[in-house]
Structure formats: C-alpha cells, structure tokens
C-alpha cells in the first residue's frame, strides 16, 4: 500500500502524528507517503497527472505489473 494526499488537504494536518502512526503500526507492505503538490482533498481530480504518475511509479517500482 501507499498513501497519496494533496499538500493542501487539511485532513493530513488535522491530527498531528496520525499518518506516522498509520505508517508504522497499521500498514503492512507499506511503500510510502506521496504528497501531491497543487492539490487538496480531491487530489485525483485536482492534479490527475501527478496522481497517475505516482501510481504508475508505485506499480513499476514494486513489480506489480509488467509493461
């Protein structure tokens, strides 16, 4: 799994330490946090190009699909 959020999403700042707790205690096979610039809560709609590239990189870097 990975975590994708927009840098302007208030949710990632709402409870300090919550993302760190999730990353360190709740996720298995965790492959990192990806904060997308110029996006808020609706990250996939506000910056679809960067979200798509992040997902493509995630799949390629972790051998989840082959070209």
């Amino acid at each position: 799994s990975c975590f994708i959020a927009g840098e302007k999403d208030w949710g990632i700042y709402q409870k300090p330490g919550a993302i760190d707790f999730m990353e360190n205690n709740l996720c298995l096979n965790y492959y990192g946090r990806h904060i997308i610039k110029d996006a808020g809560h609706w990250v996939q709609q506000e910056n679809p190009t960067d979200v798509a590239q992040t997902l493509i990189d995630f799949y390629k870097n972790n051998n989840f699909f082959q070209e």
Side-chain angles (χ1 to χ4, degrees):
S1 62
C2 70
F3 180 82
I4 300 173
E7 70 178 347
K8 298 176 185 174
D9 184 353
W10 62 270
I12 62 174
Y13 307 105
Q14 187 175 19
K15 187 173 182 184
I19 296 174
D20 293 324
F21 181 81
M22 173 193 71
E23 292 173 332
N24 295 316
N25 300 293
L26 302 177
C27 295
L28 300 175
N29 299 318
Y30 185 68
Y31 292 93
R33 179 187 316 189
H34 306 276
I35 305 300
I36 306 296
K37 292 182 185 258
D38 300 320
H41 184 70
W42 299 105
V43 64
Q44 71 280 8
Q45 293 174 328
E46 296 172 22
N47 195 334
T49 302
D50 286 353
V51 170
Q53 189 60 57
T54 299
L55 289 170
I56 290 168
D57 293 345
F58 171 72
Y59 290 128
K60 283 183 179 178
N61 294 334
N62 296 293
N63 298 316
F64 292 133
F65 72 54
Q66 296 180 355
E67 296 181 41

